[in-house]
C-alpha cells in the first residue's frame, strides 16, 4: 500500500485548475492547483494519489482521490470516507499535543464531488519498504514512534489494519504512519484486510472482532523486517528473534494469538518506558462536562418514572392496543373514526376499478380470510372528503399504532421515512423478534415501486403532493412481535408548514402514539462545514428552534410534568456531519443484536451534547418535554445530491434505530425493565 505517488506535477508553465475544498475546521477554500500524474497507491484498492502544487505559492501536497468511475461504487467511497474520518479525527484529537507528526497532515477534503478527494501535506520520508533504518539508535526511535502511533489510535478506539512497510514512512529522525483507509473501530466484526505476513492471522481470516492487538502483530512484523531486512512468517514468531537484541526483549509475545499479545500500551512500555509514562490518557472529565445537561434532565425523568411506577396507568402507553378487539380506529386519510363494516367491502378488478365484495358465498374460513386481506373498506365517516378506501387488515388487529414524522420540509423526513420502511421490509426488525406483513399487498407494492426503488437507485424523491388534510398518510404495516401479537403500524408525514397554519392539527395529534422529531442540521447547527449548503439553499441558522416542534408540543395535552407519548429526536442528514464528533462515531455503529437496559442512552447523551453546545436549548424542547425520548443520528442517503441524484446511490445509515426505540417504548420490542421505563435508563427499572 504505497503512499508516495510517482511522478511530479506538470511544468510551471502549465495551466492552473481551480481546486475547491473544505479545510479541517469546516471552512471552504478555492485555490489554483497543478496536478501530477495519478497512480494507484495499492493495486488492490481503488484509491489513487498524485502530487499537487497548490495555490500561487505552489505548496507541495498530495491528493488522494477516486476516479469518477470508482466513485460510483459505495464500497470505494466508504474507503475514502474511512481515511478522511480517521485523518480528521486524529487532527482534532492531537491538536496541541506533541504527537501530530506521527500521522499524515490533512489540509482539506471534498467527498461529495464526482471525483471525491483528500488533500494532505506532502509525506515525510519514504516507506520503509524502500529504504533502510540502519543504526541501533534509529531502531529504538522507529520502534518507539510506531508503538506511540498505535497507542494514540487505541486511545481513540481505532485500530490501523494497514500497518506494513509500505505505509510506515521514515525520514531519518521520525516516523509517519499512513494507510488510514484500513482503520477500523475496536469491537467491530473483523473482515479480511491486508497482506501476509503484516496482517494478523485473525484479521486475515476475518474472524472475531477488531482488537487493538491486531495492530501489534503488524507492528512487530514491520520491526522485524526493519531490523533483519526480510519478512517474517505469516502465522508464527520468527525463529531467529533471540539473535537480535532490538527484538528479543519486546516482540516474542507479539506473535502469539490475539488474546496473548501485549496491548499497544504494554508494547510501548517494553520499548520506551519513559514515553509510556508521559503518554497520559485523555481525561474523562471533558466527556462528563459535555453530558452534564443531559444527565440532569435524565435524572429528573428517572424520578418522575419512579413516581409513576406504582400507578397502574403510568405505563399505559407501553403496549396499549396490542391485544385490543376490533373497534373504532382513526382513518389514516380523513382522520375520522371508522370500524369494520362487512357491507362496505371492495376489491379492485383488472382495470384497477373498485368492485363490491360479497362474502356471503365464501364459507371456507381460509378463503374468507384471504379475501378479506386483499379487500378494502370504503370510508364514509366524512361525507365532504373525497372517496377513499381503508385496507381491511388495518381495521381487524386492534388499535393501530400511529407514528408521525415532525419537522420542516427541508429536514428530509420523506427520505428518512422511506428508508425506514424499506429497512423493515428487508427484515431489519427480525433480530428483535419482530416480523412484518403488508396491510395491503397492492398498496405496499406501489409504495416500493414509487418511492423505495427510485430512492435506492439514487433518485431524489419529489416533495409529496398533499390533499387538503395536513397529515399525509404514507404507509402501514402489520408487525408481529415475539409472542405472535399483531399490530398495525401507520406512518404519517406532518409537514412543518401545514402544522403551523392549520388548527386541524389538534384533532390528529390527540390520537398520535409515537412522534419522530427530525432536526435539519442546516437550520440547527452553525457549523462552518454547513455554510456552503446554507448558501446554496438560501437558508440561515434558526436559534429559535423548529416552529413545527413548538406547535406540536404546545398542543399535546399534558397531565404531569412530562408528556407521556413515546418520542425520538433524529439529527437527520447526518452524512453532512459524518466527520464531526460525535456523529462520526455513531454513523459507523451497526445495529444492536438485542435491546439492552441502557440502549441508545450513550448516543442520546452525545447527540444532546452536540445540540446543546451548537444549536441551543430551543432545539432540544422535545427531549425536555417527553419523559421517554431518545436522540439519534441518521442518514437516509449517505451523501449530498447532485443534479437530482445521489452520485453513489442512496446509502441509508442508522435509519431504523429511532423506530426500534419507539417500538421498545410501546412493548412491541421487548426491553429490559419494561416499556414504561425504556429511554430513561437502568435506574428507572
Amino acid at each position: 500500500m504505497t503512499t508516495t505517488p510517482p511522478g511530479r506535477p506538470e511544468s510551471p508553465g502549465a495551466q492552473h485548475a481551480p481546486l475547491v475544498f473544505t479545510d479541517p475546521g469546516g471552512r471552504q477554500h478555492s485555490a489554483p492547483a497543478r496536478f501530477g500524474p495519478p497512480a494507484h497507491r495499492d493495486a488492490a484498492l481503488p484509491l489513487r494519489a498524485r502530487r499537487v502544487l497548490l495555490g500561487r505559492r505552489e505548496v507541495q501536497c498530495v491528493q488522494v482521490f477516486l476516479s469518477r468511475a470508482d466513485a460510483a461504487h459505495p464500497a470505494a467511497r466508504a474507503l475514502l470516507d474511512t481515511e478522511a474520518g480517521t485523518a480528521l479525527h486524529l487532527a482534532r484529537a492531537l491538536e496541541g499535543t506533541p504527537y501530530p507528526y506521527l500521522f499524515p497532515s490533512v489540509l482539506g477534503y471534498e467527498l461529495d464531488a464526482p471525483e471525491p478527494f483528500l488533500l494532505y501535506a506532502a509525506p515525510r520520508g519514504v516507506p520503509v519498504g524502500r529504504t533502510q533504518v540502519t543504526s541501533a539508535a534509529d531502531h529504538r526511535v522507529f520502534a518507539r514512534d510506531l508503538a506511540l502511533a498505535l497507542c494514540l489510535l487505541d486511545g481513540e478506539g481505532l485500530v490501523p489494519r494497514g500497518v506494513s512497510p509500505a505505509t510506515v514512512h521514515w525520514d531519518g529522525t521520525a516516523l509517519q504512519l499512513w494507510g488510514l483507509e484500513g482503520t477500523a473501530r475496536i469491537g467491530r466484526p473483523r473482515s479480511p484486510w491486508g497482506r501476509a505476513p503484516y496482517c494478523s492471522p485473525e484479521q486475515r481470516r476475518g474472524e472475531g472482532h477488531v482488537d487493538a492487538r491486531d495492530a501489534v502483530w503488524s507492528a512487530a512484523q514491520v520491526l522485524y523486517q526493519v531490523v533483519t531486512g526480510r519478512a517474517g512468517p505469516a502465522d508464527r514468531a520468527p525463529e531467529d528473534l533471540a539473535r537480535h537484541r532490538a527484538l528479543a526483549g519486546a516482540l516474542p509475545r507479539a506473535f502469539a494469538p490475539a488474546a496473548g499479545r501485549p496491548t499497544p500500551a504494554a508494547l510501548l512500555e517494553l520499548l520506551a518506558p519513559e514515553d509510556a509514562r508521559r503518554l497520559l490518557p485523555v481525561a474523562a472529565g471533558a466527556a462528563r462536562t459535555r453530558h452534564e445537561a443531559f444527565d440532569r434532565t435524565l435524572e429528573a425523568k428517572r424520578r418522575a418514572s419512579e413516581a409513576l411506577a406504582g400507578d397502574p396507568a403510568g405505563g399505559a402507553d407501553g403496549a396499549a392496543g396490542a391485544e385490543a378487539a376490533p373497534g373504532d380506529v382513526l382513518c389514516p386519510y380523513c382522520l375520522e373514526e371508522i370500524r369494520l363494516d362487512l357491507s362496505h367491502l371492495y376489491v379492485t378488478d383488472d382495470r384497477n376499478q373498485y368492485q363490491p365484495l360479497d362474502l356471503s358465498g365464501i364459507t371456507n374460513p381460509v378463503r374468507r380470510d384471504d379475501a378479506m386481506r386483499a379487500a378494502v373498506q370504503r370510508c364514509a365517516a366524512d361525507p365532504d372528503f373525497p372517496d377513499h378506501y381503508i385496507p381491511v387488515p388495518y381495521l381487524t388487529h386492534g388499535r393501530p399504532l400511529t407514528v408521525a414524522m415532525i419537522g420542516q420540509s427541508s429536514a428530509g423526513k420523506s427520505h428518512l421515512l422511506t428508508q425506514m420502511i424499506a429497512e423493515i421490509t428487508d427484515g431489519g426488525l427480525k433480530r428483535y423478534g419482530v416480523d412484518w406483513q403488508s396491510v395491503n399487498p397492492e398498496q405496499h407494492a406501489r409504495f416500493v415501486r414509487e418511492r423505495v426503488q427510485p430512492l435506492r437507485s439514487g433518485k431524489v424523491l419529489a416533495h409529496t403532493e398533499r390533499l387538503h388534510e395536513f397529515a399525509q398518510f404514507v404507509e402501514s404495516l402489520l408487525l408481529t412481535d415475539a409472542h405472535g401479537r399483531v399490530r398495525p403500524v401507520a406512518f404519517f408525514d406532518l409537514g412543518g408548514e401545514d402544522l403551523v397554519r392549520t388548527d386541524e392539527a389538534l384533532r390528529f395529534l390527540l390520537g398520535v402514539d409515537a412522534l419522530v422529531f427530525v432536526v435539519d442540521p442546516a437550520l440547527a447547527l452553525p457549523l462552518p462545514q454547513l455554510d456552503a449548503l446554507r448558501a446554496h439553499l438560501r437558508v440561515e441558522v434558526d436559534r429559535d428552534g423548529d416552529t413545527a416542534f413548538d406547535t406540536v408540543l404546545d398542543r399535546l395535552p399534558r397531565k404531569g410534568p412530562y408528556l407521556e407519548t413515546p418520542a425520538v429526536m433524529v439529527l437527520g442528514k447526518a452524512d453532512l456531519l459524518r466527520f464531526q464528533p460525535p456523529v462520526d462515531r455513531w454513523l459507523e455503529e451497526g445495529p444492536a443484536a438485542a435491546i439492552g437496559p441502557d440502549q441508545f442512552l450513550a448516543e442520546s447523551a452525545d447527540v444532546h451534547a452536540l445540540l446543546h453546545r451548537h444549536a441551543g436549548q430551543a432545539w432540544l424542547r422535545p427531549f425536555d418535554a417527553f419523559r421517554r425520548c431518545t436522540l439519534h443520528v441518521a442518514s437516509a442517503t449517505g451523501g449530498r445530491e447532485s443534479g437530482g441524484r445521489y452520485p453513489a446511490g442512496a446509502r441509508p445509515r442508522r435509519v431504523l434505530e429511532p423506530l426500534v426505540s419507539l417500538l421498545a417504548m410501546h412493548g412491541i420490542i421487548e426491553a429490559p425493565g419494561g416499556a414504561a421505563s425504556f429511554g430513561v435508563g437502568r435506574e428507572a427499572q
Side-chain angles (χ1 to χ4, degrees), residues 421-662:
I421 295 171
E423 291 278 303
I424 296 173
T425 59
D426 279 349
L429 294 177
K430 281 185 177 291
R431 61 175 55 89
Y432 308 112
V434 176
D435 209 343
W436 74 279
Q437 191 177 27
S438 63
V439 169
N440 182 277
E442 181 181 345
Q443 182 186 74
H444 178 70
R446 184 167 59 252
F447 177 83
V448 171
R449 183 173 61 252
E450 295 179 357
R451 300 189 64 82
V452 174
Q453 291 176 350
L455 181 55
R456 284 187 164 180
S457 69
K459 183 179 179 181
V460 177
L461 298 180
H463 285 293
T464 304
E465 293 185 8
R466 300 181 182 276
L467 301 175
H468 63 74
E469 81 278 11
F470 79 94
Q472 178 67 37
F473 171 67
V474 177
E475 171 69 305
S476 58
L477 301 171
L478 297 176
L479 297 187
T480 304
D481 68 14
H483 299 286
R485 296 173 297 195
V486 181
R487 190 168 184 189
V489 179
F491 298 92
F492 294 81
D493 184 358
L494 274 66
E497 300 83 357
D498 296 325
L499 277 169
V500 172
R501 70 171 179 249
T502 177
D503 288 332
E504 294 179 1
L506 178 60
R507 179 179 57 179
F508 179 75
L509 291 172
L510 289 173
V512 167
D513 301 295
L515 293 151
V516 180
F517 294 90
V518 183
V519 176
D520 185 342
L523 299 180
L525 298 170
L527 297 171
Q529 58 263 49
L530 298 174
D531 287 345
L533 175 63
R534 278 188 280 267
H536 173 71
L537 298 176
R538 299 180 181 179
V539 299
E540 296 180 352
V541 172
D542 191 341
R543 300 294 296 183
D544 295 324
D546 191 324
T547 53
F549 294 4
D550 294 340
T551 300
V552 171
L553 296 177
D554 291 342
R555 296 195 177 198
L556 287 174
R558 187 183 306 221
K559 298 178 181 177
Y562 296 103
L563 294 165
E564 286 298 320
T565 305
V568 296
M569 292 186 67
V570 181
L571 180 61
K573 301 180 185 177
D575 53 276
L576 298 173
L577 300 168
R578 59 189 182 274
F579 305 123
Q580 172 75 36
V583 177
D584 55 353
R585 171 194 171 187
W586 290 108
L587 268 186
E588 294 181 8
E589 282 288 324
I595 292 294
D598 295 322
Q599 196 74 30
F600 303 125
L601 286 189
E603 182 180 8
S604 296
D606 280 347
V607 178
H608 186 281
L610 178 69
L611 293 175
H612 186 266
R613 177 183 177 188
H614 296 288
Q617 201 62 34
W619 282 94
L620 286 164
R621 278 198 69 197
F623 179 75
D624 294 336
F626 291 91
R627 183 175 65 86
R628 291 176 294 161
C629 180
T630 54
L631 296 91
H632 307 261
V633 299
S635 170
T637 61
R640 286 184 60 179
E641 66 172 282
S642 176
R645 295 193 62 82
Y646 299 100
R651 297 164 289 149
R653 300 168 79 174
R654 293 188 69 79
V655 296
L656 197 53
E657 277 65 21
L659 183 63
V660 169
S661 181
L662 290 174

Side-chain angles (χ1 to χ4, degrees), residues 305-330:
S305 296
E306 291 170 0
L308 287 172
D311 180 0
D317 285 322
E323 296 273 19
D328 290 342
V329 302
L330 201 67

